[in-house]
Amino acid sequence: ETKLNKIKINTIKDQLIIKKSEKCKEMSNYAKEIKEKIMKTIKDSIQEATSKNFRELHWKAKQYEKVTIDDNFSLSIKNKFGGQIRDELSQGAALCFGLAFMAALRSYSEYDVPIIIDSPVGKIDEGNRENIARNLPQQLEGNQIIFLVTGSEYKDIFKDLLEKKISTKINLSYNEKLEEIDIN
């Protein structure tokens, strides 16, 4: 009778362990579903914002049909004929695409650190310079943006549009006599 009771107790314990294991699997699957839904929502929001931002920043954005972000957050862009062209973008389009994605990530994350952008318009045409100066500060509104620009970049429409939005302007110049940088 004692042996029989031990077997019954072990059987009940085994059944409880099996039920707990099944419940854990069920909860794990439920958690995975929730994670996938959350990640899809995040990805879709960032994809939509990246597409919107890109259309505002790049002067020929109408030539591009669709911006997509895959599950690993890799960006792609298709032309109006449906062809994948991310690796074929001009320097200006690639810069606008990168800035659009960065602004979308930044606005979604609300992570509050200064944004430092080196040579934001160095090798791009006037149309993109104007769009970046006009739209990027709005896309990153409420964030500190630090543009590191050369004199050749900080001119014309780019300078005119940013001038009223700048709170602090610092000029760095190299002093050849002292072999150091002067800050003005």
Side-chain angles (χ1 to χ4, degrees), residues 142-173:
N143 296 290
Q144 181 183 13
I145 306 169
I146 300 168
F147 285 125
L148 304 174
V149 294
T150 63
S152 64
E153 290 177 276
Y154 193 64
K155 62 180 186 176
D156 304 327
I157 192 96
F158 186 75
K159 179 181 178 182
D160 294 342
L161 288 168
L162 287 179
E163 199 68 32
K164 49 193 158 216
K165 297 176 183 176
I166 294 174
S167 64
T168 305
K169 183 176 166 182
I170 299 171
N171 291 314
L172 304 175
S173 57

Side-chain angles (χ1 to χ4, degrees), residues 62-112:
K62 290 180 182 165
Q63 290 185 343
Y64 306 105
E65 187 66 30
K66 187 171 185 177
V67 171
T68 57
I69 300 174
D70 69 17
D71 292 340
N72 294 320
F73 279 77
S74 291
L75 291 168
S76 67
I77 189 166
K78 293 183 179 181
N79 62 18
K80 59 185 174 183
F81 306 108
Q84 170 71 14
I85 58 167
R86 185 188 73 194
D87 297 331
E88 299 168 16
L89 293 173
S90 68
Q91 284 183 333
L95 174 71
C96 290
F97 197 43
L99 290 173
F101 182 58
M102 181 270 309
L105 285 173
R106 174 65 179 198
S107 65
Y108 191 86
S109 72
E110 297 179 0
Y111 194 65
D112 194 20

Side-chain angles (χ1 to χ4, degrees), residues 22 26 39 42 53 61-62 73 89 120 135 141 148 156 163 168 184:
E22 288 171 355
E26 185 181 316
M39 291 304 291
I42 291 169
N53 293 346
K62 290 180 182 165
F73 279 77
L89 293 173
N135 296 308
E141 191 170 4
L148 304 174
D156 304 327
E163 199 68 32
T168 305
N184 305 324

